[in-house]
Amino acid sequence: MQIIQKRYYTPEEYLELEEAADYKSEYIDGQIIPMAGGTINHNQIALNLSTELNFAFKKQNYRVFMGDVRLSIPQKHTYTYPDVMILAGEPQYFNNRTDILVNPQIIVEVLSKSTKGYDRKDKFQTYRTISTFQEYLLIDQTRIHVDQFSKTGKKQWTLREYDEEDEAISSMGYAYALVTVPLEISLQDLYNKVKFEPVELEGESPDVEGLG
């Protein structure tokens, strides 16, 4: 059996390679992992949310960044590109590099089939090492469903789920929680122009002509 040895890169090597690359890659503890291309639904949801956020925060001290901005997570030796980030106040940069942020308050990931497990578990654990991180939204692109994790205390998070029966995603926070942003967005606006693929029910088979 052939043993394939993994190549480990330093953060400096990763950043140098990323500057010249034609596609984006994440860096996780020495490994460079190319990112899969996004779908139409993925792009539409991220755009819808960013547009609503940017308008809501026009006269407030928050900044919104989309997926081309890199995030550094030093405790986990990780660089990644969240789909959407919200910052309170001024951006803080890694080593004075204005293309790498370190202080998001809210992170949003639009789930894909290949990454949804990682986004829910390992990536969430990594994000929780960021001192400014207060809220995490996981948005499904195959159906109307959002998981909202909000920090309520040290090592304490609450989960609220939203689906087609709910009207809005609220980020008003709890009286006893740490600070989060004053925003409410409807699911209708979040999923505006998103077209879901039909789901084939288990046990059903497509109609086939010419068989008797």
Side-chain angles (χ1 to χ4, degrees):
M1 182 177 66
Q2 182 180 7
I3 298 176
I4 301 175
Q5 182 139 13
K6 291 182 179 180
R7 164 77 191 276
Y8 287 89
Y9 298 84
T10 66
E12 293 75 20
E13 288 174 326
Y14 159 74
L15 292 173
E16 184 177 350
L17 290 170
E18 195 73 350
E19 289 291 335
D22 295 327
Y23 53 86
K24 294 183 295 184
S25 297
E26 294 185 330
Y27 177 84
I28 303 175
D29 199 20
Q31 296 186 52
I32 295 176
I33 303 173
M35 297 178 64
T39 65
I40 295 296
N41 279 0
H42 185 287
N43 181 268
Q44 187 68 60
I45 292 168
L47 179 61
N48 288 346
L49 178 59
S50 297
T51 300
E52 292 288 329
L53 291 169
N54 200 45
F55 180 79
F57 297 149
K58 187 175 181 180
K59 296 183 179 180
Q60 299 187 48
N61 196 23
Y62 295 101
R63 299 282 299 274
V64 181
F65 297 91
M66 287 188 66
D68 288 332
V69 178
R70 193 183 300 115
L71 171 65
S72 172
I73 311 166
Q75 289 190 39
K76 293 293 185 177
H77 309 290
T78 295
Y79 293 88
T80 186
Y81 293 88
D83 290 321
V84 180
M85 289 187 287
I86 303 171
L87 277 64
E90 293 300 315
Q92 297 176 16
Y93 302 111
F94 177 76
N95 285 348
N96 295 319
R97 289 191 50 147
T98 56
D99 60 337
I100 306 177
L101 297 173
V102 297
N103 65 321
Q105 178 172 322
I106 295 177
I107 296 176
V108 182
E109 297 286 5
V110 180
L111 299 177
S112 65
K113 292 179 180 179
S114 61
T115 65
K116 61 182 179 180
Y118 171 61
D119 288 342
R120 288 182 183 280
K121 187 177 179 182
D122 292 347
K123 191 175 247 186
F124 188 22
Q125 290 177 347
T126 297
Y127 285 155
R128 293 201 300 268
T129 67
I130 302 171
S131 61
T132 56
F133 182 47
Q134 302 291 320
E135 194 165 337
Y136 192 37
L137 289 181
L138 296 172
I139 305 175
D140 199 320
Q141 64 172 299
T142 65
R143 58 180 177 140
I144 297 177
H145 190 95
V146 179
D147 288 336
Q148 177 193 34
F149 294 90
S150 302
K151 190 172 184 179
T152 58
K154 186 177 180 180
K155 297 183 180 180
Q156 295 180 344
W157 293 75
T158 61
L159 166 65
R160 181 170 179 184
E161 298 179 68
Y162 299 84
D163 56 29
E164 65 273 6
E165 297 178 357
D166 298 298
E167 293 183 355
I169 299 170
S170 175
S171 297
M172 298 300 290
Y174 304 87
Y176 54 83
L178 297 178
V179 177
T180 189
V181 300
L183 173 76
E184 189 169 283
I185 176 173
S186 71
L187 293 175
Q188 182 178 6
D189 289 337
L190 181 63
Y191 284 96
N192 183 42
K193 297 182 181 179
V194 173
K195 298 185 183 300
F196 301 117
E197 294 182 3
V199 177
E200 184 177 319
L201 298 177
E202 186 175 355
E204 289 188 355
S205 59
D207 293 333
V208 179
E209 295 182 358
L211 296 180

